[in-house]
Amino acid sequence: MHYEFNNGFIRLGRQKLDNPFINTDDIRMFSNTFSAGWLNVNLSKSLTLEAGHVNTWAGFDSEKDLFSKASDEGVSALGLNYKHSENLSTQGWYYHFDQNYSLLYADMSYSMGKLELAAQFGSYSEDNSSGTDGSVVGASITYSIGPFTLSAVMNSGSNDDGKSADLGLGGGNYYAAMDESTISGLNDAEAYVLSVEYAASDSFTAAVAAGHFENNDQSTRIDETNLILGYSVSDSLNLELIHTTVDDAGSANDFSRQTARVTYSF
């Protein structure tokens, strides 16, 4: 069910959601979907309120094709998005993952010409010894020069022994995230990603990204490289090829993977 009113909507049932820690994470052929009730209200031209509750979910991240429970008895969320100007925007969210943890999250982005700066902060409060507790900070800088876009991002975690951050329902929203590696499950995580994208034309782009991820005692030390080629055949047809190489110095889990994706919109 989808009901619209003057300044917003209410939606009930199976749906796609895209907010920081409940999102489709469309990295494979099957994106996440949710059985949920969701409210979206435009309080003003600049301020938007979102609130909802997710009961079950399915997709690549849920590890099930059919719907499974979302964090025991569900996940509740409340968020505010504020666009101060064309150059400055902020958002803040509260999530309650039933019997696991609560999360306060905020970020801000500012652009001036070819330069874009962003910062983020997440604070977890553990429930029932779930193992998710502590905080995460992040920073991002992006600069465009001609057909090239250069980017440098980082995330740093602060957790008690045995605790770490979580990505919620989906891929999370932390800047240092690659095709395979994230900071999820890393104690006192340190992560850095450098990337460059080249727009050869309006239709073809090529990008390469190199990242490093490690935990407090360096038992996990992961270096990942992504090569991404994208081609827009038309307004409705897009092709993408991703080559991923992962070198895990703390284990024997080194591998490479190739992913091809064809997206057709109609």
Side-chain angles (χ1 to χ4, degrees):
M1 183 193 81
H2 182 87
Y3 174 72
E4 294 189 8
F5 47 92
N6 287 340
N7 58 338
F9 64 83
I10 297 175
R11 190 166 54 220
L12 300 174
R14 185 174 182 176
Q15 55 190 285
K16 290 185 176 182
L17 295 169
D18 277 301
N19 56 74
F21 289 87
I22 305 175
N23 51 64
T24 58
D25 192 23
D26 197 4
I27 61 172
R28 300 292 183 267
M29 296 301 292
F30 187 18
S31 59
N32 301 324
T33 55
F34 307 90
S35 177
W38 206 260
L39 169 70
N40 187 298
V41 182
N42 296 316
L43 301 177
S44 70
K45 290 182 179 180
S46 302
L47 183 63
T48 301
L49 168 71
E50 293 189 56
H53 183 81
V54 175
N55 292 312
T56 59
W57 67 315
F60 181 81
D61 294 302
S62 74
E63 299 181 351
K64 290 186 178 181
D65 293 334
L66 300 176
F67 278 79
S68 58
K69 286 186 177 181
S71 190
D72 296 319
E73 297 304 318
V75 178
S76 299
L78 175 66
L80 285 171
N81 296 271
Y82 184 61
K83 190 169 184 179
H84 300 258
S85 65
E86 289 296 323
N87 300 326
L88 178 63
S89 61
T90 61
Q91 63 176 330
W93 287 83
Y94 171 77
Y95 297 90
H96 180 66
F97 289 76
D98 182 68
Q99 300 184 38
N100 285 285
Y101 62 88
S102 297
L103 168 62
L104 283 170
Y105 173 82
D107 66 33
M108 176 180 67
S109 62
Y110 177 71
S111 62
M112 45 184 178
K114 299 177 180 180
L115 179 65
E116 182 173 337
L117 306 173
Q120 62 183 178
F121 174 76
S123 178
Y124 297 85
S125 297
E126 179 184 39
D127 292 332
N128 297 320
S129 301
S130 66
T132 300
D133 197 51
S135 62
V136 177
V137 296
S140 170
I141 180 169
T142 303
Y143 184 73
S144 299
I145 178 169
F148 293 95
T149 301
L150 312 176
S151 176
V153 303
M154 63 78 65
N155 279 117
S156 179
S158 177
N159 317 95
D160 291 336
D161 289 344
K163 313 298 182 181
S164 62
D166 187 69
L167 302 184
L169 305 183
N173 201 49
Y174 293 119
Y175 299 145
M178 304 189 72
D179 186 56
E180 176 67 21
S181 304
T182 69
I183 65 169
S184 177
L186 299 182
N187 178 256
D188 286 349
E190 295 292 336
Y192 311 91
V193 180
L194 300 175
S195 66
V196 57
E197 179 180 295
Y198 174 61
S201 67
D202 291 338
S203 301
F204 179 72
T205 60
V208 61
H212 177 78
F213 300 78
E214 65 180 49
N215 61 0
N216 183 40
D217 62 4
Q218 294 193 337
S219 59
T220 298
R221 300 192 312 279
I222 298 172
D223 292 307
E224 179 173 342
T225 303
N226 297 160
L227 174 62
I228 305 168
L229 304 177
Y231 183 67
S232 179
V233 180
S234 65
D235 291 339
S236 57
L237 180 60
N238 293 279
L239 310 177
E240 187 177 43
L241 176 65
I242 304 172
H243 175 78
T244 300
T245 301
V246 174
D247 180 8
D248 189 343
S251 71
N253 295 327
D254 301 349
F255 68 91
S256 63
R257 176 178 63 221
Q258 295 75 42
T259 303
R261 182 183 293 114
V262 178
T263 304
Y264 183 74
S265 303
F266 54 90

